[in-house]
Amino acid sequence: QDHVCSLPKVPFRGAPCSDAAGSQVPYAAIMKQVNSSLSGVLWDEMQKAPFYEYKDSVGQFHQVWFDDPHSISLKAAYVKSRGLRGIGMWNGNSLDYSRESAAEQQTRAMWQALTP
């Protein structure tokens, strides 16, 4: 099916499957790879999250899900509208802290998105 990527079943603490079959990709690598991907940035309305698809050098299909300033800001706004106590993001150290201007802009936008 279009845009369906299945993970192998990897049991975790009694659950029949988990995200242990996947791996974490730093945001910097995502931003560099997304423009050369098969799909470009796609959007999942249910998850309110972007993702993209690519094939590796041996032709295996991959799907990468991530948050960007837009998806983070939607989640932060939801937290604020519900009067919840806060929001965070997983591994802020995976952002691109190089001195490249595009990287600085992306990183600043990610941190700003946490405060609606």
Side-chain angles (χ1 to χ4, degrees), residues 5-87:
C5 183
S6 300
L7 289 174
K9 290 188 177 187
V10 178
F12 179 74
R13 295 185 181 179
C17 63
S18 75
D19 63 355
S23 61
Q24 182 173 308
V25 179
Y27 190 71
I30 289 170
M31 291 297 96
K32 289 183 172 119
Q33 187 179 46
V34 71
N35 291 331
S36 62
S37 68
L38 291 172
S39 63
V41 176
L42 300 170
W43 180 261
D44 184 275
E45 189 58 34
M46 183 180 293
Q47 301 296 322
K48 305 285 190 228
F51 67 101
Y52 66 92
E53 301 165 337
Y54 73 95
K55 285 188 181 178
D56 63 20
S57 59
V58 295
Q60 186 172 359
F61 180 78
H62 297 270
Q63 206 172 65
V64 179
W65 288 76
F66 60 101
D67 274 309
D68 63 7
H70 178 63
S71 63
I72 290 284
S73 67
L74 292 172
K75 292 167 185 163
Y78 176 84
V79 165
K80 186 175 182 177
S81 74
R82 299 294 190 268
L84 302 175
R85 293 191 175 249
I87 186 172

